[in-house]
Every structure is written in C-alpha cells, then in structure tokens.
C-alpha cells in the first residue's frame, strides 16, 4: 500500500473561498486524488493518502499573528509520525508571498529546498527516503480580496513555478505546476473552488499514473 503525505496550507486543508468552511470529503483535491488512484488499483496495492494541510502555513517563516505556521518546524515530526512513507507532496508558498516575509519567489523556493532536505534527513523507519513531489501552488487570482497583505502577490505567484522547477530539478524531485490546470477563485483570490480542487486532483492523478517512475521525474 503506497503511502503519500500531502503537506500544504489552506488549499490542502480545503478552505472554501465562499464561506471559510472546509470543503468536505469528495471535494478536496486530496480525497479526489486518493479516489482516482484507487479506482483501478488492486486491493493489496491501494494508495493511502494522508492530509496535512494547515491554514496560513508557510515554508519556513514564523507568523507572529498565527503561531505554529512554520512548515519547517512541523514537517520533521509529521514525517516521523506517519513513516514509513513512499511519497511526500509539498505544496506551499502562497502564504510566503505575504508582504511581511522576504517574499521574492527565489527565496520562497529556497524554503522548499529546506523542506526537501528535511525529508531526506529524517529516518523513514529504516526504508529508503520517500519520493518527493514539489507542486508550485495555484496562482493567486487578479481579483484578490487579500491584496493589501500580498504586495504584487499575483505576479509573484506566477513566478513560483519557474523557481520551484529549478530547485526540484537540482534536488532530483518530481515537479508539477498547478497553474497548468487551475488558479485561485476570484471570490477571495487565494483559495480553490470545487472545480479547482477537481482539476488539481485530475492533474496529479495523471502524473502518478504515468507508466514508470522515471516518467514522473521527467
């Protein structure tokens, strides 16, 4: 049973832009991805997906207004808690775009590199280190109700993919650009609507369903 840990922020938690509630099972991209991967999987090879999303989570920054959001503080414990793992999906960076942080895309990508290092430095219950999929997050929408907290957020969010792709290649990780299939809802400019969750799940499922692991890393 392949085990995947999905490590992210509010778009992994499933924040509904219409009301701030959590999208239910069957809507969130994580549950949709699990359903898609298991649709034709034999019973002894079903995928087990672990949701670890937190609203406001960053890659490496402490938020004085929202404690416990530093992803690099949380990840090692989660890796130990859920081991052994076959895959780690890291989709963070949107909250790093807040103006209170050093929010240049290249700096944010270096935060992702730190998380990659943590995965590889953490014992995986004696097994080989998990495969890592770096996902550049859905771009912010140009109709952004949170704009005062994200100076040039839309433009910077569109630059993350290039920086993430470079880090993933250098570190030998798989990479996926969520902008290929979705972007944040115009309702609040930050979070995925139901269609966005569906599109992201379908895109990631296509990646995991490629014939060989080498294809996934290409």
């Amino acid at each position: 049973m392949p085990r995947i840990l999905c490590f992210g922020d509010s778009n992994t938690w499933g924040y509904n832009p219409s009301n701030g509630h959590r999208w239910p099972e069957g809507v969130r991209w994580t549950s949709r991805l699990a359903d898609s991967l298991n649709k034709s999987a034999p019973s002894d090879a079903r995928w087990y997906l672990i949701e670890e999303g937190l609203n406001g989570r960053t890659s490496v920054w402490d938020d004085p207004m929202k404690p416990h959001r530093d992803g690099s503080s949380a990840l090692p414990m989660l890796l130990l808690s859920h081991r052994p793992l076959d895959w780690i999906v890291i989709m963070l960076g949107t909250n790093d775009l807040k103006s209170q942080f050093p929010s240049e895309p290249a700096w944010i990508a270096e935060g992702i590199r730190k998380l990659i290092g943590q995965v590889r430095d953490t014992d995986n219950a004696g097994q080989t280190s998990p495969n890592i999929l770096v996902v550049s997050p859905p771009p912010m929408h140009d109709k952004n109700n949170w704009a005062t907290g994200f100076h040039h957020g839309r433009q910077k969010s569109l630059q993350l993919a290039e920086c993430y792709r470079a880090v993933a290649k250098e570190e030998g990780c798989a990479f996926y650009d969520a902008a290929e299939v979705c972007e944040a809802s115009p309702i609040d400019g930050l979070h995925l609507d139901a269609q966005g969750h569906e599109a992201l799940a379908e895109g990631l499922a296509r990646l995991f369903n490629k014939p060989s692991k080498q294809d996934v890393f290409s």
Side-chain angles (χ1 to χ4, degrees), residues 70-140:
D70 174 2
S72 65
S73 293
L75 183 57
M77 179 273 291
L78 295 173
L79 293 168
L80 291 171
S81 177
H82 295 296
R83 63 183 178 170
L85 293 161
D86 297 281
W87 280 92
I88 307 292
V89 178
I90 300 173
M91 189 173 78
L92 286 170
T94 300
N95 292 300
D96 297 60
L97 292 167
K98 291 178 179 177
S99 303
Q100 69 197 76
F101 303 127
S103 58
E104 291 305 311
W107 278 107
I108 297 171
E110 289 304 309
I112 301 300
R113 192 193 301 274
K114 178 176 180 178
L115 299 179
I116 293 169
Q118 289 180 324
V119 174
R120 291 179 171 155
D121 289 342
T122 302
D123 176 64
N124 193 32
Q127 298 189 19
T128 57
S129 183
N131 296 304
I132 302 170
L133 171 60
V134 174
V135 181
S136 59
M140 297 171 66

Side-chain angles (χ1 to χ4, degrees), residues 166-184:
V167 166
K169 183 176 182 180
E170 291 166 7
E171 297 293 336
C173 300
F175 171 77
Y176 186 77
D177 180 5
E180 293 181 4
V181 294
C182 63
E183 69 175 356

Side-chain angles (χ1 to χ4, degrees), residues 139-151:
M140 297 171 66
H141 198 278
D142 53 5
K143 294 180 180 178
N144 178 17
N145 294 339
W146 305 63
T148 55
F150 295 81
H151 189 57

